[in-house]
Amino acid sequence: MTLTIGVDVGGTKVAGGVVDEQGNVLAHVRRDTPAKDQAGTRDTIVAVAAELATAYPSAMAIGIGAAAWIDATGSTVLFAPNLAWHDEPLRDYVAKAVGLPTVLENDANVAAWAEFRFGAARQAEDSMVMITVGTGIGGGVVLNGSLWRGANGIAGELGHIQSVPDGHPCGCGRLGCIEQYASGNALVRFARAGSMRDPERGAGLLVLADGDPHRISGRMVTEAAQEGDEVARDAFAQVGYWLGVALADLAQVFDPQVLVVGGGVVEAGELLLAPTERAYRDQLAQRRRFPVAEIRPAEAGNAAGVVGAADLARRI
């Protein structure tokens, strides 16, 4: 059995695991990320990988998934918004320090790969598009059985497809990106606006926020919606609509076998997925004579980064 090491690097933690060929995590290590310390973050990754390599000397390679833009060669972190990295040659540094071949990839890509290989799209052999709905929106694309990284290594920025011309400003500098309408931040914005516009319909939500719409959080919106709060449910309906529109566009562009929806907001289940599915089908009504990709919730969970990175390492 071939064992590999996967390391998931985020702004708060570095998580590593030894993973077998079936995607099972056999051992796990977690350290805090010294996010403001470039060398410290790099050496924390090395420490995690080295600890696992020592415990499992048969491990053959290391895969790293980082919340960052990775260059086309898969060797250098070009920029990481939540880490102190600019043009960091991370792959070769880790490979030399630990003594194992190493793969470096964007965190959304490794999560998508985990879903393609072992999760919601494991029965697909050709293609999948995954969109992750969290504070913002990310994603990953698999075509012809391989990750599609683009000419410069930064493909899959699905949150920055423009959906509303001259819409809400986005952190990327554009206006009307889908991230501003179908993310966790958008959910909160819709809920706050709805509760201020119609406090009676949002009474349950306002109770959770101690009467202050500006204190409404995503978790509160989910809880209130589950209890039947109309404003909270409307917020999910709006996010679901825009997410369905985005998925329809992705289906038109890529014609994948499966569309996977992941990220923290998906924990709301049918509150989000039901309006998403309705909007998706409505948008593609003209294609009823042709098959379209099924929408499935992600299954790999919190281990997706470790599992996906480790499996990519197996393919060196």
Side-chain angles (χ1 to χ4, degrees), residues 6-293:
V7 183
D8 182 14
V9 185
T12 61
K13 52 85 179 168
V14 175
V18 176
V19 182
D20 68 15
E21 294 171 349
Q22 285 72 48
N24 301 307
V25 180
L26 307 182
H28 190 267
V29 173
R30 177 178 173 137
R31 304 270 181 91
D32 292 337
T33 304
K36 295 182 180 181
D37 181 352
Q38 180 174 346
T41 299
R42 180 186 65 200
D43 291 338
T44 299
I45 295 167
V46 168
V48 166
E51 180 176 339
L52 292 167
T54 300
Y56 286 80
S58 62
M60 301 183 66
I62 301 167
I64 302 170
W69 283 276
I70 310 300
D71 76 330
T73 67
S75 63
T76 303
V77 176
L78 299 174
F79 174 66
N82 299 311
L83 299 167
W85 277 339
H86 290 83
D87 298 321
E88 172 68 30
L90 183 64
R91 182 192 66 187
D92 293 345
Y93 182 89
V94 173
K96 182 177 180 180
V98 184
L100 288 174
T102 300
V103 170
L104 175 63
E105 189 53 80
N106 169 266
D107 61 338
N109 281 349
V110 300
W113 186 253
E115 293 294 342
F116 181 71
R117 289 279 291 127
F118 307 109
R122 60 186 175 275
Q123 294 177 336
E125 70 283 347
D126 174 73
S127 55
M128 177 208 76
V129 176
M130 178 175 173
I131 189 165
T132 56
V133 184
T135 302
I137 286 182
V141 180
V142 175
L143 296 176
N144 298 321
S146 301
L147 272 175
W148 184 56
R149 304 185 70 250
N152 300 297
I154 55 174
E157 291 291 334
L158 306 183
H160 300 294
I161 298 170
Q162 188 182 59
S163 292
V164 181
D166 298 322
H168 288 287
C170 183
C172 74
R174 303 182 74 198
L175 298 176
C177 291
I178 192 63
E179 183 168 288
Q180 299 305 311
Y181 297 88
S183 64
N185 281 343
L187 178 73
V188 171
R189 191 180 74 245
F190 290 141
R192 288 174 177 172
S195 66
M196 287 187 282
R197 185 170 55 249
D198 195 341
E200 290 186 10
R201 294 182 71 246
L205 185 55
L206 287 169
V207 167
L208 294 174
D210 295 328
D212 183 358
H214 299 288
R215 295 184 62 183
I216 292 171
S217 67
R219 191 170 298 278
M220 291 177 190
V221 181
T222 301
E223 182 178 344
Q226 290 169 338
E227 295 297 323
D229 184 273
E230 293 180 48
V231 165
R233 285 181 171 266
D234 284 350
F236 272 106
Q238 291 178 78
V239 168
Y241 169 77
W242 287 110
L243 184 58
V245 169
L247 290 170
D249 288 343
L250 293 170
Q252 298 274 30
V253 172
F254 295 108
D255 189 26
Q257 291 175 285
V258 182
L259 288 162
V260 176
V261 180
V265 178
V266 179
E267 294 176 7
E270 288 302 301
L271 285 170
L272 176 66
L273 295 176
T276 298
E277 182 76 30
R278 283 195 299 272
Y280 174 71
R281 296 293 171 183
D282 288 346
Q283 290 286 313
L284 296 178
Q286 80 282 6
R287 286 189 59 176
R288 63 171 58 103
R289 295 181 182 179
F290 304 97
V292 294

